[in-house]
Amino acid sequence: MNILDILGAAIGLVYVFSEYRASRWFWPSSLLMAAFYAVINFRIGWYANTGICVYNFVMSVYGLLVWRGLLNTGHSTQNAEHQTPKTKEERPITSCPARYWPWLIAATAALTVAFRFILALLGETTMPWLDGIVAALGIVGMWMLARKYWQQWLFWLVSEPLLVYIYLHTGYTASAAMYAVYEVFCIMGIIRWKRLSI
């Protein structure tokens, strides 16, 4: 283990606990985590996920604005008639609309294939298929997280075991342990967020 691995894992644990609690304060830890893992992923030759860390950094800013009600995303709540247009309130946890699912699944599949072939052409990545699928799940999952859909946990539930394998294989044991803990939080998060959703 190196200091970067340990610091990244520590920030990641703060991040996932804050995410589980649905706290708006987890976005600053998301910014830090994205920066740390951009460096780690680049060092181990995991280039698609280096790019995803940059994407996550940008989406963290977007998510912070959405969650705090500073950015209108067109969501509505059951009590929308009692809200005034000028009121900025924190976005509630909701369920992803059914009409989005075909697009989300298609986007995940298309991004996986695209990343795999781009990375294979570059010839420098160590695991093009795994790099591609984790990157694709991360893109879609982060968008859903920013929109505060409870089903975002399902995407992390699939990607975390792959991340555990990759970080163990590349010698980043603290990060592998962190993602193993994330898998437990995914199950807890599904239960908690679904219960809190409106």
Side-chain angles (χ1 to χ4, degrees):
M1 287 190 287
N2 60 51
I3 190 66
L4 198 63
D5 184 27
I6 294 168
L7 284 174
I11 292 167
L13 291 173
V14 172
Y15 166 89
V16 76
F17 181 73
S18 300
E19 181 183 4
Y20 168 75
R21 300 287 302 163
S23 168
R24 72 175 97 174
W25 299 107
F26 94 89
W27 289 112
S29 61
S30 178
L31 292 168
L32 280 174
M33 186 173 168
F36 267 87
Y37 278 93
V39 175
I40 289 175
N41 289 335
F42 187 81
R43 287 177 64 181
I44 64 177
W46 210 21
Y47 302 118
N49 278 279
T50 301
I52 296 311
C53 288
V54 176
Y55 165 82
N56 286 349
F57 193 92
V58 174
M59 286 301 290
S60 294
V61 175
Y62 171 76
L64 181 63
L65 295 174
V66 170
W67 280 36
R68 291 194 177 185
L70 300 173
L71 189 63
N72 182 11
T73 58
H75 85 282
S76 60
T77 65
Q78 294 172 337
N79 298 319
E81 66 273 10
H82 300 299
Q83 299 171 5
T84 60
K86 294 183 180 178
T87 301
K88 290 183 175 66
E89 31 179 64
E90 188 166 334
R91 183 183 181 92
I93 296 171
T94 59
S95 183
C96 181
R99 68 182 182 276
Y100 288 177
W101 280 104
W103 297 103
L104 294 171
I105 293 167
T108 304
L111 286 167
T112 297
V113 173
F115 278 128
R116 186 266 181 249
F117 284 105
I118 291 169
L119 292 166
L121 284 175
L122 293 174
E124 295 184 12
T125 190
T126 54
M127 303 176 190
W129 273 114
L130 287 180
D131 199 357
I133 192 167
V134 172
L137 289 165
I139 287 175
V140 178
M142 193 67 172
W143 179 82
M144 294 181 75
L145 172 58
R147 304 281 295 199
K148 220 168 182 179
Y149 296 138
W150 72 262
Q151 292 95 335
Q152 55 95 11
W153 288 104
L154 300 174
F155 287 79
W156 309 126
L157 189 69
V158 175
S159 67
E160 308 307 5
L162 302 176
L163 288 162
V164 169
Y165 171 78
I166 289 166
Y167 284 118
L168 279 176
H169 183 75
T170 52
Y172 284 83
T173 53
S175 295
M178 176 193 70
Y179 282 107
V181 171
Y182 273 24
E183 187 71 0
V184 176
F185 270 97
C186 286
I187 297 166
M188 294 166 55
I190 289 168
I191 296 167
R192 177 180 169 81
W193 278 45
K194 186 174 182 181
R195 180 168 48 84
L196 294 175
S197 68
I198 62 169

